[in-house]
Amino acid sequence: MVRLDDIIELAKANSKSIDVDLIRKAYVFSAKVHRNQLRLSGEPYLVHPLDVAYILAHLRGDAATIAAGLLHDTVEDTLTTLSEVETIFGEDVAHLVDGVTKLSKISFSSKQQGQLESLRKLVLAMAKDIRVVLIKLADRLHNMRTLGFLPGERQLAIAQETLDIYAPLANRLGIYWVKAELEDLALRYLDPEAYYELAMQVGKKRGEREEYIAKVCKVLKDELTKNGILCEVMGRPKHFYSIYNKMTARNVGFDQVYDAFAFRVIVPTIKDCYAAIGITHAMWKPIPGRFKDYIAFPKANGYQSLHTTVFGPEKDRIEIQVRTEQMHQVAEEGIAAHWQYKEGQPELAEEERRQFTWLRQTLENYQDLKDPADFLENLKLDLFPEEVYVFTPKGDIKELPKGACPIDFAFAVHTEVGMHCIGAKVDGRLVPLDYPLKNGDVVDIMTSTHAHPSRDWLTYVKTSKAKSKVKAFVNLQQLARQAGLGREILEKEMRKLGFALSLLSNSDVIEQVLSSFRIKELDTLFAQIAQGNVSVRAVIEKIAEIKKLEIAPSKEEGVQGRQSPVVKPSLRQGSPVRVDGIDNVLVRFGSCCGPVVGDTIVGFVTRGRGVTIHAHDCSRIAGADPSRLIQANWSLAGPLRTSVEVRVTSKDKQGLLAEISKTISLAKVNISKAQVYTTPQKVAVQHFTLDVESLDQLNRVLEAIRQVKGVIEVERLKRGYAQALNR
Ligand code: MN
């Protein structure tokens, strides 16, 4: 029976600074709450958590992991509550115990749909905190070691689940010894006949085999040493389940499984690995197609080695694996080898970073793995077409529907992050907000307190949370903007007639006006004016009527209450731009910047003259009142001709201007103005004013000019800038 001291001794060997008190405290608590409980074996229940904790110490678990191992069944099997665990042992331990308890409730026994769902949860749990899965693996390993005490039916179910889920998971984590032991234990219950036959065969020929192994090791080591390679050579039979797999796959008997042995050569450097393979191949004939370079192309779980199969000294096939000491450690311990402790304190950041890199790689590599023998390696995330798994920069996983964009992610992190998202980086690179996220992406959201959701987002967000939040905001904002605009329109029209908007400040007047239009809120009335649904003239007339004021007929309008000339609800199709929140209002283009169809544009809500459209980087906009800026997008399908200034710098060469002009007209672009300057350095600077229909066309013509021989630089000028140069 494992004793607490065994666990502590092992834990201290891993890390001198490990929190022994935490482990002791967990032991005392576990012993207390599990007292009087027995396992089916008749042993005290405490044996189980002790063994689990011991396995975790072997896996180089930290203090919290080992403590959680001791406590892992307390919440499920005793009266202990999670909050009790948290109060006594802290958040970290409680989180681990909670994770294991939840994981235990997932049943992997049902195949198909339910199983995929469970796997999905498992992958998620694994991604959130790998330690939870380590504890679960340790728990399963001990339960498998003591499976004999369960009734036969349970044995089969648990053994099958172990083979389907836990052994592949251990493999995925690269913990070879746990994988091998789980597989052999599972085989013992699933196919006892084959298992005991194998055990007998291996046992019967043990002497013979050991002699053979020793011989191969010696020949190999001598040859490598002779060639100046420091090395260690080991050989051992593969574990039962892998021999069993080979026998069933090839439908052969034990005697015909030649590569039942694996030989390992451990050398100091990577260079030595390749040299050793070369020497081996010179000595023994390699079997073509069996050389595998997992050093250049590591397996998803981080495994690295060179593999080859050769015809050995007795002309039988032997598999040889060559690796460095460090690779060997990873091959044996997998993820546990990454648990790096520094003298003094565990280096958590480094640990997390490694764990995280591994995980990303794992998730990414689900797609590439082809080994049909491995369940989890077969598991493509494509099996879950509805989800992508992405990460915060801190490594937290977020599950989003496929096609989700950074905005969905931002809302998944926090509503406030979503509401103020201005940009996103994926794996450190800037991406557009409609970028479809991919599995394993690390998403970093940039926020600004001034930024707000835009209506456009609704066209690409996928999660209901993002959708509803954006919609609510857009609706509110739309109403506010329309109201503001409507109010200005009304004020301006009233002023023209010699009235002040303050006429509408009396609540009695407001109520009468509103009720006459059957509108409940003043802002709604203003919004209706902005949209052109309520005539501004009619509103003024109503106010005049209530206040018993006379309206002088204006020159350009009859008294018919026609729509104000200021607002021209444009009902014709293909209005060139769509302004966020204010449909059907007159838009005009800023004469300052002259945006081309396709340029990023922004609207400016003028006082009483609708909305002016500017290029987003127009200098006029830079100084404008931000509260008057409004999102605008191109919406027209047809062309809209705009003039653009372009500067072409070229060599001062005869005929070059003609060549450039020809290029421009070949692109079917009209030159409305051209000016040429020459510098003393024999450089010609040409300014063209081009009439273009879209940014696409502009970019094409600029590219065509760039291709003209002798052209040094081509750039589009902002109008203000061009004028400054022309002076
Ligand atoms: Mn347990």
Side-chain angles (χ1 to χ4, degrees):
M1 181 177 155
V2 170
R3 297 164 310 133
L4 177 65
D5 286 346
D6 300 329
I7 297 168
I8 287 175
E9 194 182 314
L10 191 54
K12 274 178 135 176
N14 290 332
S15 165
K16 277 182 193 158
S17 62
I18 198 157
D19 185 354
V20 172
D21 287 345
L22 184 71
I23 298 172
R24 274 188 208 284
K25 207 160 73 172
Y27 167 77
V28 172
F29 184 88
S30 185
K32 192 181 86 189
V33 297
H34 284 302
R35 75 181 179 275
N36 300 333
Q37 287 182 338
L38 295 178
R39 295 209 97 207
L40 286 173
S41 61
E43 291 174 301
Y45 195 89
L46 189 62
V47 168
H48 173 63
L50 272 171
D51 266 300
V52 169
Y54 192 54
I55 293 168
L56 287 168
H58 271 285
L59 294 173
R60 299 180 193 233
D62 60 6
T65 309
I66 295 171
L70 285 164
L71 300 168
H72 80 273
D73 278 332
T74 56
V75 172
E76 197 165 11
D77 294 343
T78 75
L79 295 173
T80 310
T81 63
L82 192 63
S83 60
E84 223 173 312
V85 173
E86 183 168 348
T87 312
I88 304 172
F89 300 99
E91 207 185 320
D92 199 22
V93 173
H95 153 78
L96 293 174
V97 171
D98 187 37
V100 178
T101 308
K102 280 185 181 141
L103 208 51
S104 302
K105 291 194 177 123
I106 301 171
S107 164
F108 299 107
S109 49
S110 60
K111 292 267 174 187
Q112 310 306 324
Q113 207 52 43
Q115 189 174 46
L116 292 184
E117 178 60 17
S118 304
L119 270 169
R120 195 182 59 76
K121 285 183 187 153
L122 188 67
V123 169
L124 272 177
M126 175 166 77
K128 277 190 178 138
D129 194 332
I130 206 75
R131 295 176 302 172
V132 170
V133 179
L134 281 187
I135 298 168
K136 190 63 203 159
L137 271 180
D139 180 37
R140 175 52 56 106
L141 183 56
H142 185 248
N143 284 337
M144 283 301 290
R145 285 174 181 171
T146 52
L147 194 62
F149 298 101
L150 285 188
E153 236 171 80
R154 292 284 297 137
Q155 286 178 352
L156 281 181
I158 292 173
Q160 190 62 52
E161 185 183 78
T162 299
L163 205 54
D164 286 346
I165 305 289
Y166 290 98
L169 193 55
N171 183 42
R172 171 57 70 181
L173 295 172
I175 312 165
Y176 181 81
W177 69 270
V178 172
K179 167 197 147 92
E181 190 176 339
L182 285 175
E183 283 179 345
D184 282 357
L185 285 167
L187 181 65
R188 187 162 135 196
Y189 292 95
L190 292 173
D191 192 345
E193 211 173 299
Y195 176 88
Y196 289 109
E197 173 73 18
L198 261 175
M200 199 188 68
Q201 297 266 25
V202 170
K204 195 168 68 187
K205 299 193 171 175
R206 176 164 290 153
E208 208 178 303
R209 176 182 356 267
E210 275 166 5
E211 202 177 296
Y212 175 76
I213 288 173
K215 178 180 164 190
V216 173
C217 285
K218 187 177 185 307
V219 175
L220 199 49
K221 183 167 180 151
D222 287 352
E223 188 68 16
L224 291 174
T225 311
K226 208 169 75 190
N227 284 277
I229 294 178
L230 272 174
C231 64
E232 206 182 311
V233 183
M234 299 166 284
R236 67 173 182 197
K238 292 185 171 170
H239 68 291
F240 289 175
Y241 186 72
S242 94
I243 300 173
Y244 173 82
N245 256 349
K246 279 181 206 277
M247 284 165 64
T248 38
R250 298 183 207 153
N251 196 21
V252 296
F254 179 76
D255 288 332
Q256 288 155 285
V257 178
Y258 299 110
D259 43 0
F261 314 102
F263 290 89
R264 248 166 235 151
V265 180
I266 295 170
V267 296
T269 67
I270 291 177
K271 211 176 122 203
D272 293 332
C273 292
Y274 290 98
I277 282 285
I279 293 159
T280 309
H281 283 181
M283 177 169 54
W284 292 321
K285 197 169 154 48
I287 294 166
R290 296 280 300 176
F291 174 66
K292 288 177 198 135
D293 186 347
Y294 295 119
I295 290 180
F297 305 100
K299 284 192 187 181
N301 60 17
Y303 177 88
Q304 285 187 301
S305 275
L306 299 177
H307 287 194
T308 188
T309 307
V310 296
F311 291 106
E314 290 173 14
K315 301 288 169 253
D316 46 1
R317 298 154 173 246
I318 49 176
E319 188 180 282
I320 298 170
Q321 302 165 353
V322 187
R323 49 177 83 140
T324 64
E325 184 57 53
Q326 197 215 339
M327 291 173 194
H328 182 59
Q329 202 191 345
V330 172
E332 292 295 300
E333 299 181 25
I335 189 96
H338 293 313
W339 269 206
Q340 298 285 324
Y341 288 100
K342 256 191 176 175
E343 230 19 81
Q345 60 174 57
E347 204 190 349
L348 278 177
E350 171 74 359
E351 180 185 312
E352 276 165 11
R353 194 184 62 76
R354 281 167 183 272
Q355 170 182 331
F356 178 65
T357 315
W358 167 81
L359 189 71
R360 274 185 50 207
Q361 201 183 15
T362 302
L363 290 175
E364 274 167 19
N365 285 339
Y366 270 116
Q367 278 99 342
D368 302 324
L369 294 168
K370 293 197 174 77
D371 185 359
D374 209 316
F375 185 85
L376 266 189
E377 289 195 346
N378 257 343
L379 172 72
K380 295 180 177 181
L381 278 176
D382 294 356
L383 283 176
F384 312 122
E386 302 313 319
E387 280 110 21
V388 289
Y389 300 95
V390 292
F391 300 91
T392 68
K394 285 183 178 163
D396 291 336
I397 194 164
K398 296 285 169 202
E399 175 194 357
L400 295 170
K402 193 164 192 169
C405 63
I407 299 163
D408 291 302
F409 176 86
F411 276 100
V413 170
H414 197 279
T415 301
E416 283 306 299
V417 176
M419 294 302 276
H420 300 291
C421 164
I422 47 162
K425 284 181 185 170
V426 164
D427 296 335
R429 286 175 42 205
L430 221 56
V431 295
L433 285 178
D434 61 352
Y435 166 88
L437 294 171
K438 288 191 262 314
N439 281 318
D441 278 350
V442 179
V443 190
D444 195 359
I445 296 293
M446 292 171 284
T447 57
S448 155
T449 45
H450 304 297
H452 296 293
S454 101
R455 182 205 267 179
D456 264 12
W457 292 6
L458 290 172
T459 59
Y460 40 79
V461 295
K462 289 283 184 293
T463 53
S464 53
K465 180 176 182 185
K467 247 182 202 151
S468 61
K469 298 277 180 195
V470 173
K471 207 166 218 164
F473 180 84
V474 163
N475 286 344
L476 248 174
Q477 192 195 37
Q478 171 158 333
L479 184 70
R481 280 188 167 150
Q482 286 177 335
L485 191 62
R487 182 193 180 90
E488 274 172 14
I489 290 165
L490 180 64
E491 184 175 13
K492 193 169 167 124
E493 285 302 285
M494 286 176 78
R495 209 183 297 128
K496 266 195 209 161
L497 298 166
F499 299 155
L501 188 67
S502 59
L503 284 175
L504 200 56
S505 59
N506 177 306
S507 64
D508 202 37
V509 177
I510 294 172
E511 205 169 300
Q512 287 186 56
V513 172
L514 289 181
S515 74
S516 79
F517 289 95
R518 289 177 198 174
I519 287 170
K520 284 192 178 134
E521 304 263 344
L522 192 55
D523 274 354
T524 315
L525 176 69
F526 290 144
Q528 294 290 332
I529 292 172
Q531 286 176 41
N533 295 336
V534 167
S535 146
V536 64
R537 183 77 190 192
V539 175
I540 297 171
E541 279 169 1
K542 189 71 207 169
I543 297 170
E545 185 195 313
I546 295 162
K547 291 295 230 180
K548 303 194 167 52
L549 295 168
E550 197 69 17
I551 300 177
S554 82
K555 280 172 198 162
E556 63 262 44
E557 283 173 84
V559 230
Q560 303 292 317
R562 281 175 29 143
Q563 279 153 341
S564 154
V566 181
V567 181
K568 279 185 183 156
S570 146
L571 296 175
R572 79 198 142 88
Q573 293 283 302
S575 165
V577 296
R578 191 164 56 70
V579 176
D580 187 21
I582 321 180
D583 290 330
N584 303 327
V585 292
L586 179 70
V587 297
R588 46 185 107 208
F589 289 92
S591 54
C592 39
C593 50
V596 171
V597 177
D599 276 336
T600 308
I601 49 174
V602 67
F604 179 77
V605 181
T606 64
R607 294 188 184 272
R609 283 190 301 121
V611 173
T612 314
I613 301 301
H614 295 265
H616 80 292
D617 51 357
C618 174
S619 56
R620 290 274 293 272
I621 288 304
D625 173 4
S627 70
R628 293 184 158 265
L629 294 182
I630 189 166
Q631 180 130 5
N633 293 291
W634 297 101
S635 65
L636 84 176
L640 180 78
R641 215 167 266 277
T642 319
S643 55
V644 171
E645 305 216 6
V646 168
R647 181 173 63 187
V648 179
T649 313
S650 67
K651 288 181 185 160
D652 186 14
K653 203 175 82 181
Q654 238 188 345
L656 194 59
L657 179 60
E659 181 75 12
I660 294 168
S661 308
K662 198 178 109 194
T663 306
I664 296 171
S665 37
L666 276 174
K668 298 197 167 62
V669 169
N670 182 48
I671 305 172
S672 59
K673 205 169 134 197
Q675 280 174 289
V676 184
Y677 315 83
T678 3
T679 69
Q681 289 81 31
K682 288 274 170 201
V683 169
V685 178
Q686 294 114 11
H687 279 210
F688 295 100
T689 303
L690 305 178
D691 295 338
V692 297
E693 290 175 348
S694 69
L695 191 59
D696 255 12
Q697 190 191 31
L698 175 64
N699 287 337
R700 256 177 301 167
V701 72
L702 294 185
E703 194 46 44
I705 300 170
R706 268 182 209 114
Q707 300 305 318
V708 175
K709 210 176 161 212
V711 169
I712 299 162
E713 195 183 29
V714 183
E715 69 188 306
R716 175 185 174 186
L717 298 178
K718 299 284 172 306
R719 205 163 282 179
Y721 183 39
Q723 277 157 2
L725 277 176
N726 285 350
R727 221 183 289 137

